[in-house]
């Protein structure tokens, strides 16, 4: 039994009775039901200050008059509640307008807090997993269509406002000495094509003078031909970072894709091939050096030793280039192995100006884009590449935008502060 027993100004007192019997697990279930009942009871009261008194209003240049108070069911974190509110229409008819929904920031029939919870969960889980989580852990039963409608609307707001809304940097404990800009791609299965297309992932990682990472901004974008929109978003983040940390050294770290370097050379002071990509080519040379099937131990030892040299010895790069050239001419090797070492020779030769690992290590600078590699898995692969999934571009864009916001410290809360300030009619 739950009821409002007193109202006083902006305070409401709710009385609830909880039956505590059976096992502790049973009692906890009863407590959760009572907690949700209290939440529903209070939420029925909460929206009233956001409604009008029924007087005529103007929305832009259009005068609207109240048709009366109609009941409407809204979804909350605690359960569905029914609220009576005024609805308006112009003298010519047309679209119904509800001031309460606009002022209270109702999102597709969900209260703002519940909309935040739904969209945050949807960023991490598929819609049926969100539904199961809500039922199992929150005592909330809700249709998958409602979850998807709310989450997609929030994602649409986030993507529509990517250019206009600036997110504040969190307060960092130590001064930032280095900012690493990195970008990479991850393939996702598309419903509107025969196969897979590349989604883009970008990171800005902020390091202190001791080389400790203090903060990372994550960006992710659905597949787009030309990737121009993604690069524009990266450029905006880089500009904002430079406004905050104008004295920092800006480093570009990525794999060998030419398009990455055209972008990074414009926006960073120094560039470096990701060390772990480089070690893959050291592995190709190791394979040709010890091609025997039973020589796995020797290959691993050779690769480890030469990776260490590449990281610390300025002469190591020339040594590897020479070794790759020599092995590519060894006719006792299979054509596959010779092609592999030739690709290593080409890679090291073309990128030798971007492989000053000893210099970076000596200066205490990062040499890897592991943050971005991990982001490709956590932002893209974990959510968009589960068995049986196929994505349309719009759906992938929404999910990736939500995931980038939830992964970047502080941004999810700021998104909802902005929605709370300006409302939810933000589609662009």
């Amino acid at each position: 039994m739950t009821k409002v027993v007193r109202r006083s100004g902006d305070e409401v007192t709710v009385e609830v009775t909880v039956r505590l019997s059976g096992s502790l697990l049973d009692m906890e279930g009863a407590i959760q039901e009572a907690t949700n009942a209290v939440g529903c009871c209070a939420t029925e009261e909460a929206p009233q200050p956001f409604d009008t008194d029924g007087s005529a209003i103007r929305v832009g240049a259009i005068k609207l008059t109240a048709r009366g108070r109609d009941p409407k069911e809204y979804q909350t974190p605690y359960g569905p509640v029914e609220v009576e509110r005024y609805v308006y229409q112009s003298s010519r008819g047309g679209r119904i307008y509800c001031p309460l929904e606009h002022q209270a920031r109702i999102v597709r029939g969900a209260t703002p807090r519940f909309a935040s919870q739904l969209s945050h969960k949807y960023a991490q889980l598929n819609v049926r997993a969100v539904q199961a989580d809500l039922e199992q852990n929150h005592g909330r039963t809700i249709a998958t269509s409602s979850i998807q409608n709310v989450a997609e609307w929030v994602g649409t707001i986030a993507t529509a406002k990517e250019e206009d809304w600036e997110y504040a940097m969190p307060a960092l404990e130590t001064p930032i000495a280095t900012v690493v800009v990195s970008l990479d791609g991850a393939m996702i299965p598309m419903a509107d094509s025969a196969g897979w297309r590349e989604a883009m992932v970008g990171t800005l990682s902020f390091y202190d003078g001791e080389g400790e990472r203090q903060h990372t901004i994550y960006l992710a974008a659905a597949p787009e031909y030309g990737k121009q929109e993604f690069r524009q978003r990266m450029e905006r983040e880089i500009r904002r970072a430079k406004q905050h940390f104008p004295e920092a050294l800006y480093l570009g770290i990525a794999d060998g894709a030419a398009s990455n370097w055209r972008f990074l050379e414009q926006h960073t002071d120094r560039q470096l091939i990701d060390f772990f990509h480089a070690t893959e080519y050291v592995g190709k040379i190791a394979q040709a050096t010890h091609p025997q099937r039973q020589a796995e131990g020797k290959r691993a030892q050779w690769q480890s030793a030469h990776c260490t040299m590449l990281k610390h010895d300025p002469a190591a790069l020339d040594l590897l280039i020479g070794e790759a050239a020599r092995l590519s001419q060894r006719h006792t090797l299979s054509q596959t192995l010779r092609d592999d070492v030739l690709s290593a020779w080409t890679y090291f030769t073309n990128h030798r100006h971007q492989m000053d690992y000893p210099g970076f290590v000596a200066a205490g600078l990062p040499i890897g884009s592991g943050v971005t590699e991990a982001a490709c898995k956590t932002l893209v692969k974990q959510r968009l590449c589960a068995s049986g999934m196929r994505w349309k571009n719009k759906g992938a864009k929404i999910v990736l935008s939500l995931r980038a916001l939830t992964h970047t410290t502080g941004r999810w809360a700021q998104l909802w502060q902005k929605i709370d300030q300006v409302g939810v009619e933000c589609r662009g």
Side-chain angles (χ1 to χ4, degrees):
M1 179 67 180
T2 308
K3 63 180 179 180
V4 175
V5 295
R6 186 171 68 253
R7 298 176 181 85
S8 177
D10 59 0
E11 294 183 352
V12 60
T13 302
V14 180
E15 180 184 272
V16 62
T17 301
V18 186
R19 182 179 296 276
L20 298 179
S21 62
S23 68
L24 181 57
L25 181 63
D26 293 333
M27 295 182 193
E28 287 180 311
I31 292 169
Q32 184 179 60
E33 288 181 9
T35 302
N36 283 345
V38 169
C40 287
C41 193
T43 305
E44 287 176 351
E45 305 282 322
Q48 298 306 327
F50 300 99
D51 205 0
T52 70
D53 61 3
S55 302
I57 61 174
R58 284 190 174 275
V59 177
I62 302 174
K63 181 180 178 180
L64 303 178
T65 55
R67 297 194 336 175
R69 298 192 84 198
D70 292 340
K72 173 72 178 288
E73 184 178 271
Y74 296 111
Q75 297 291 337
T76 82
Y78 324 104
V81 301
E82 190 172 272
V83 177
E84 285 196 348
R85 77 279 192 268
Y86 282 106
V87 293
Y88 285 73
Q89 200 171 30
S90 75
S91 59
R92 296 182 178 181
R95 183 182 177 186
I96 298 295
Y97 178 71
C98 178
L100 182 146
E101 292 185 357
H102 176 71
Q103 297 298 329
R105 311 315 192 204
I106 302 296
V107 181
R108 305 292 279 179
T111 60
R113 182 169 182 80
F114 196 43
S116 173
Q117 292 174 346
L118 290 178
S119 51
H120 191 283
K121 289 178 182 294
Y122 185 73
Q124 319 307 323
L125 305 167
N126 67 61
V127 67
R128 294 198 178 279
V130 174
Q131 183 187 49
D133 175 71
L134 287 166
E135 185 170 356
Q136 177 66 32
N137 299 316
H138 303 277
R140 284 290 282 115
T141 301
I142 185 170
T144 55
S145 58
S146 296
I147 297 169
Q148 196 146 7
N149 285 340
V150 171
E152 289 184 353
W153 186 267
V154 174
T156 300
I157 295 169
T159 54
K161 294 298 180 180
E162 282 169 348
E163 184 173 350
D164 299 331
W165 285 355
E166 181 175 348
Y167 296 94
M169 289 283 295
L172 303 179
E173 295 182 357
T174 59
I176 296 303
T178 306
V179 179
V180 174
V181 181
S182 186
L183 56 162
D184 203 348
M187 305 300 289
I188 62 174
M190 302 301 292
D192 55 358
S193 65
W196 295 57
R197 288 176 56 198
E198 187 179 45
M200 292 302 297
V201 174
T203 60
L204 277 72
S205 298
F206 300 81
Y207 293 83
D208 62 20
E210 301 300 317
E212 296 293 326
R213 183 161 58 97
Q214 299 296 314
H215 179 61
T216 299
I217 295 171
Y218 295 92
L219 295 177
E224 57 161 311
Y225 292 108
K227 303 182 176 63
Q228 185 62 30
E229 182 179 327
F230 171 75
R231 294 192 185 100
Q232 289 172 351
R233 291 173 57 198
M234 285 289 292
E235 287 172 348
R236 288 194 294 271
E237 294 291 352
I238 294 168
R239 284 198 301 269
R240 291 165 183 166
K242 290 181 177 180
Q243 291 172 358
H244 284 284
F245 307 109
E247 302 301 321
L249 175 67
Y250 284 78
L251 302 181
I253 301 181
D255 62 17
S259 59
N260 289 343
W261 296 112
R262 285 194 296 270
F263 178 85
L264 292 172
E265 286 168 359
Q266 296 177 50
H267 300 290
T268 58
D269 305 311
R270 299 177 65 182
Q271 297 84 41
L272 191 74
I273 287 284
D274 170 58
F275 180 74
F276 299 101
H277 277 86
T279 63
E280 294 176 4
Y281 288 89
V282 178
K284 294 178 185 291
I285 302 174
Q287 182 71 43
T289 301
H290 297 286
Q292 302 82 6
R293 182 175 299 178
Q294 66 274 21
E296 183 176 344
K298 290 182 178 180
R299 282 196 299 273
Q301 186 177 15
W302 193 98
Q303 182 175 356
S304 176
H306 285 77
C307 285
T308 301
M309 290 173 59
L310 182 62
K311 185 184 292 187
H312 299 286
D313 185 352
L317 187 55
D318 284 334
L319 185 151
L320 288 168
I321 290 172
E323 190 68 9
R326 183 180 65 81
L327 289 169
S328 69
Q329 301 299 317
R330 180 180 288 180
H331 296 291
T332 56
L333 294 175
S334 68
Q335 188 62 50
T336 298
L337 287 178
R338 282 189 287 158
D339 288 344
D340 283 347
V341 291
L342 182 59
S343 71
W345 178 88
T346 302
Y347 190 82
F348 288 134
T349 301
N350 289 346
H351 296 288
R352 63 186 305 153
H353 64 291
Q354 298 165 328
M355 291 185 169
D356 183 18
Y357 304 115
F360 273 58
V361 170
L365 299 174
I367 62 171
S369 59
V371 174
T372 309
E373 293 287 322
C376 286
K377 296 176 182 177
T378 58
L379 258 70
V380 181
K381 293 292 186 180
Q382 288 180 1
R383 178 65 176 88
L384 278 75
C385 296
S387 177
M389 284 188 171
R390 293 291 184 272
W391 293 89
K392 292 184 178 179
N393 209 62
K394 179 183 177 182
K397 182 176 183 178
I398 285 172
V399 170
L400 290 173
S401 180
L402 292 175
R403 286 179 72 78
L405 288 167
T406 61
H407 278 66
T408 303
T409 301
R411 289 205 168 180
W412 189 253
Q414 290 184 58
L415 169 70
W416 282 94
Q417 288 168 2
K418 294 176 186 298
I419 290 175
D420 198 35
Q421 291 168 3
V422 304
V424 296
E425 296 293 334
C426 301
R427 298 186 82 168

